[in-house]
Amino acid sequence: MRLSLMLLWRDWRAGELRVLAIALVLAVACVTSVGFFADRLQQALTSEARQLLGGDVVLVADHPFALAIREEIVARRLQLAESLSFTSMARTGSEAQLAAVKAVSDGYPLRGKLRIAPAAGVADAETSTLPAAGEVWVDERLAGVFAVGVGDQIELGNSRLKVSAILTLEPDRGTSFFNFAPRLLMRLDDVAATGLVQNGSRISYALLAAGEREAVAAFEQSIAPKLGRGESMQSLMHARPEIRSTRSEEHTSELQ
């Protein structure tokens, strides 16, 4: 034992063990740093993918969802928001323009933030609010077509709605042809007064859910076999192409 300690002390004084110890510390630090960076990158990509959905799980259909599905979301203690999307002619005086209308409920979006500006071409900011009753937010293209600003009015169906902000970002805006039309965001409660939702109307209905990972996973597993005709589910695993691309990037980072 004494001889071992003497040899250890000799090697330490010679510097070889110190170099080995420093190399070991550096190796452990590098591995830890890479693991920490990969974990943060994975979390960032997952967060980005959820923002592209507006929630953790989104159910989409060409008809209103059954009340039982809403009740299941609430029963699992998940957050719930609703939206419906359609195209319609918006008007101001003699001008008319086909617009992509999205009507949303309180709580929307469940992931990510809307961004609005007080006028076209000025700095925007995140917001946690929605248009008030009787108000709409329009994007810069629609504001430009109509030459309207905050405080002006737009006609939509049977309703006259006040423009209260310029919409600059929707986190869950997709890339379909429908989404290339000028945008208009309004409250779900104001849709009935427009008279635009009728039998035969082409409308996309969506239920957004978000919550703890385990509860979300259990809901996905439970709801998948219950989806009927014209109903689909979007999530981190069942997503639009741009979200699948984000998931692929996340998987690549995990492999590295």
Side-chain angles (χ1 to χ4, degrees):
M1 184 67 177
R2 182 177 180 183
L3 178 61
S4 298
L5 292 174
M6 290 177 62
L7 292 175
L8 178 63
W9 176 246
R10 186 193 66 182
D11 290 342
W12 180 262
R13 291 184 62 186
E16 296 177 359
L17 287 182
R18 277 181 285 183
V19 172
L20 181 61
I22 293 173
L24 181 61
V25 170
L26 288 175
V28 172
C30 288
V31 171
T32 303
S33 298
V34 170
F36 178 80
F37 175 76
D39 179 65
R40 291 297 179 270
L41 180 60
Q42 179 180 348
Q43 291 183 24
L45 290 172
T46 300
S47 176
E48 179 183 350
R50 287 172 174 167
Q51 289 182 30
L52 289 173
L53 285 170
D56 294 336
V57 179
V58 179
L59 304 180
V60 181
D62 58 6
H63 55 266
F65 282 96
L67 179 61
I69 295 181
R70 293 179 176 82
E71 292 175 342
E72 181 170 354
I73 293 174
V74 174
R76 292 182 180 275
R77 298 184 179 181
L78 298 173
Q79 296 172 277
L80 170 65
E82 300 181 49
S83 74
L84 58 86
S85 303
F86 57 93
T87 56
S88 179
M89 297 301 296
R91 303 181 304 277
T92 55
S94 59
E95 297 290 332
Q97 169 67 43
L98 186 67
V101 179
K102 178 184 284 185
V104 297
S105 69
D106 288 331
Y108 169 89
L110 299 179
R111 301 295 186 195
K113 293 288 186 181
L114 294 165
R115 296 184 69 92
I116 57 175
V122 304
D124 63 353
E126 289 186 352
T127 179
S128 299
T129 64
L130 292 173
E135 296 181 353
V136 295
W137 295 345
V138 300
D139 69 4
E140 292 188 342
R141 285 191 297 160
L142 192 57
V145 168
F146 287 143
V148 297
V150 172
D152 295 326
Q153 291 189 329
I154 285 181
E155 296 179 35
L156 191 65
N158 300 325
S159 299
R160 291 179 62 86
L161 303 162
K162 177 183 175 182
V163 177
S164 57
I166 303 299
L167 178 66
T168 60
L169 176 67
E170 300 164 74
D172 61 337
R173 179 173 178 176
T175 57
S176 67
F177 177 78
F178 166 81
N179 290 310
F180 286 102
R183 309 284 292 179
L184 184 152
L185 185 75
M186 63 186 297
R187 296 191 74 90
L188 192 60
D189 295 339
D190 286 339
V191 172
T194 67
L196 295 174
V197 177
Q198 302 175 2
N199 290 333
S201 298
R202 297 189 63 180
I203 297 174
S204 176
Y205 296 82
L207 294 180
L208 294 77
E212 296 296 328
R213 182 181 302 177
E214 293 77 10
V216 170
F219 172 68
E220 281 190 74
Q221 187 175 9
S222 170
I223 205 65
K226 300 177 184 177
L227 297 177
R229 181 205 60 79
E231 300 175 350
S232 62
M233 178 170 60
Q234 297 178 355
S235 67
L236 296 185
M237 299 304 296
H238 309 81
R240 302 193 306 258
E242 63 268 31
I243 300 173
R244 288 199 297 270
S245 175
T246 302
R247 288 289 295 171
S248 296
E249 294 173 5
E250 178 183 337
H251 180 63
T252 300
S253 70
E254 290 175 349
L255 294 178
Q256 294 174 344

